Amino acid sequence: KAMPEAAGAVAAAAVADRLHGSKEDRKLAIVLVGLPARGKTFTAVKLTRYLRWLGHETKHFNVGKYRRLKHGANQSADFFRPDNQEGIEARNEVAALAMEDMIDWMHGGGQVGIFDATNSTRKRRYMLMKMAEGNCKIIFLETICNDRNIIERNVRLKIQQSPDYADQPDYEAGLQDFLERLTNYEKVYEPVQEGSYIKMIDMVKGEGGQLQVNNISGYLPGRIVFFLVNSHLAPRPILLTRHGESLHNVRGRVGGDTVLSEDGELYSKKLANFIEKRLKNEKTATIWTSTLQRTILTATPIVGFPKVVP
């Protein structure tokens, strides 16, 4: 199918990236690392969508789903205790099953697997690295959040949305269980220091955070770093508006590059008033327009924010 020039360039780069390098380097596993309620799955889903948009065959493997299928969704915090050897073996088993499925999927034509789990100990990560040898390159993606407000919000969402607590009618009981689970992980957590890795540190708001990169090279890993630098884990508003009425609109004509009509100018002023009130607390807001006069003129009365014309 015909595609815009820019989209064609992205697709060509994706194909080139699949063709160059060793067989192992052409397959990439992004292995998430981090404590519960740190935004791992949220990041994994967003990254999966981005890589698919770039033209790379990408799949998200959530180890929690494997655990629930094999051991049920009603595992208490005791299952995650660091001294529960049976629980450790069960969790390593489902992690290995998910890794095997990801490697099989890669052998069938998949390019990028997103391996979503806590992977919080070196022993677990070395197990995954051993399984990846000769099959794919691993990049660890560690999400670190020290903002207690964000963590508490994520914990609440976990209790409300996680399948692990779908059958728990008592919110407080579920909350207590999850906090105990979190404590169990914190006791044995070991930050990533091995292999190729990316660390997202306090990047929940897209500002003031830190991205650490170690031993990362190549087109696709570079694109992933670019995406993560510009990503955020906290919700923020995106407001969309049509331009004000143009002279061509008045004449019933489509397209062109005319200026605004009187009604269009009135709309631009009312829009500016709305933006001033709506975004007064959004310090990092940016106004984007197209290169056409009618969009630029619609945004002209808006002051106090940087404007971008791609």
Side-chain angles (χ1 to χ4, degrees), residues 26 57 64 75 91 107 111 115 127 152 215 257 284:
R26 291 199 299 269
E57 192 69 28
Q75 299 295 331
R91 285 183 282 130
H107 290 165
Q111 187 186 6
F115 191 85
M127 180 191 82
E152 288 173 7
N215 194 26
D257 190 18
T284 59

Side-chain angles (χ1 to χ4, degrees), residues 4-56:
E5 183 177 349
V10 169
V15 171
D17 193 57
R18 285 197 290 267
L19 295 177
H20 295 298
S22 67
K23 177 182 178 182
E24 178 178 335
D25 288 343
R26 291 199 299 269
K27 307 293 184 179
L28 184 62
I30 305 298
V31 177
L32 274 294
V33 177
L35 291 167
R38 263 56 174 189
K40 295 185 300 300
T41 297
F42 183 85
T43 301
V45 170
K46 291 184 70 172
L47 184 57
T48 299
R49 290 173 180 168
Y50 174 69
L51 293 175
R52 286 175 178 170
W53 176 77
L54 283 182
H56 298 281

Side-chain angles (χ1 to χ4, degrees), residues 177-246:
D177 180 83
F178 185 82
L179 292 176
E180 290 178 16
R181 181 193 302 192
L182 182 54
T183 299
N184 288 332
Y185 275 109
E186 289 174 339
K187 290 177 181 177
V188 295
Y189 187 78
E190 297 172 301
V192 174
Q193 295 178 324
E194 62 278 0
S196 299
Y197 62 76
I198 303 167
K199 289 177 182 264
M200 297 177 67
I201 304 172
D202 292 327
M203 293 187 66
V204 292
K205 296 180 181 178
E207 60 175 340
Q210 188 179 81
L211 195 78
Q212 294 182 2
V213 178
N214 180 69
N215 194 26
I216 300 295
S217 62
Y219 163 77
L220 186 51
R223 295 298 298 181
I224 291 171
V225 170
F226 170 79
F227 171 77
L228 295 174
V229 165
N230 291 282
S231 69
H232 56 90
L233 301 181
R236 61 180 178 180
I238 298 176
L239 308 180
L240 304 177
T241 177
R242 289 293 306 272
H243 57 79
E245 182 185 64
S246 71

Side-chain angles (χ1 to χ4, degrees), residues 151-165:
I151 295 171
E152 288 173 7
R153 186 201 69 187
N154 288 347
V155 167
R156 289 195 299 270
L157 289 175
K158 272 282 188 182
I159 306 307
Q160 294 167 359
Q161 300 176 3
S162 172
D164 285 346
Y165 297 98

Side-chain angles (χ1 to χ4, degrees), residues 41-301:
T41 297
F42 183 85
T43 301
V45 170
K46 291 184 70 172
L47 184 57
T48 299
R49 290 173 180 168
Y50 174 69
L51 293 175
R52 286 175 178 170
W53 176 77
L54 283 182
H56 298 281
E57 192 69 28
T58 306
K59 188 173 180 179
H60 177 201
F61 292 82
N62 185 292
V63 177
K65 292 182 178 179
Y66 284 76
R67 170 178 54 79
R68 285 186 286 272
L69 284 172
K70 189 169 183 63
H71 300 287
N74 299 316
Q75 299 295 331
S76 72
D78 287 343
F79 183 77
F80 302 90
R81 286 203 332 264
D83 60 351
N84 181 350
Q85 193 58 40
E86 185 178 342
I88 292 172
E89 292 175 0
R91 285 183 282 130
N92 284 335
E93 179 187 16
V94 293
L97 286 172
M99 190 67 175
E100 289 171 359
D101 280 355
M102 185 173 72
I103 291 171
D104 287 344
W105 171 78
M106 288 178 174
H107 290 165
Q111 187 186 6
V112 184
I114 311 294
F115 191 85
D116 181 8
T118 55
N119 301 312
S120 53
T121 65
R122 292 191 187 95
K123 185 175 181 180
R124 161 70 73 83
R125 296 193 292 268
Y126 280 125
M127 180 191 82
L128 299 176
M129 292 170 72
K130 185 69 176 178
M131 295 180 70
E133 288 179 1
N135 294 301
C136 62
K137 175 181 175 61
I138 279 185
I139 294 178
F140 293 111
L141 174 55
E142 185 175 14
T143 60
I144 300 171
C145 177
N146 298 304
D147 188 322
R148 300 310 305 180
N149 292 330
I150 297 294
I151 295 171
E152 288 173 7
R153 186 201 69 187
N154 288 347
V155 167
R156 289 195 299 270
L157 289 175
K158 272 282 188 182
I159 306 307
Q160 294 167 359
Q161 300 176 3
S162 172
D164 285 346
Y165 297 98
D167 297 329
Q168 173 55 268
D170 187 338
Y171 173 85
E172 291 300 327
L175 176 61
Q176 185 60 38
D177 180 83
F178 185 82
L179 292 176
E180 290 178 16
R181 181 193 302 192
L182 182 54
T183 299
N184 288 332
Y185 275 109
E186 289 174 339
K187 290 177 181 177
V188 295
Y189 187 78
E190 297 172 301
V192 174
Q193 295 178 324
E194 62 278 0
S196 299
Y197 62 76
I198 303 167
K199 289 177 182 264
M200 297 177 67
I201 304 172
D202 292 327
M203 293 187 66
V204 292
K205 296 180 181 178
E207 60 175 340
Q210 188 179 81
L211 195 78
Q212 294 182 2
V213 178
N214 180 69
N215 194 26
I216 300 295
S217 62
Y219 163 77
L220 186 51
R223 295 298 298 181
I224 291 171
V225 170
F226 170 79
F227 171 77
L228 295 174
V229 165
N230 291 282
S231 69
H232 56 90
L233 301 181
R236 61 180 178 180
I238 298 176
L239 308 180
L240 304 177
T241 177
R242 289 293 306 272
H243 57 79
E245 182 185 64
S246 71
L247 293 180
H248 270 11
N249 292 147
V250 174
R251 298 164 186 156
R253 297 178 62 182
V254 177
D257 190 18
T258 59
V259 298
L260 299 179
S261 67
E262 289 186 8
D263 283 346
E265 291 177 357
L266 178 61
Y267 175 78
S268 70
K269 294 174 183 176
K270 290 189 175 184
L271 177 64
N273 291 333
F274 170 80
I275 292 296
E276 182 181 1
K277 295 176 183 177
R278 178 64 176 79
L279 298 183
K280 62 182 179 181
N281 295 322
E282 298 291 338
K283 299 178 181 179
T284 59
T286 303
I287 309 299
W288 288 64
T289 73
S290 76
T291 57
L292 297 175
Q293 285 190 88
R294 58 183 180 266
T295 66
I296 295 172
L297 291 172
T298 299
T300 296

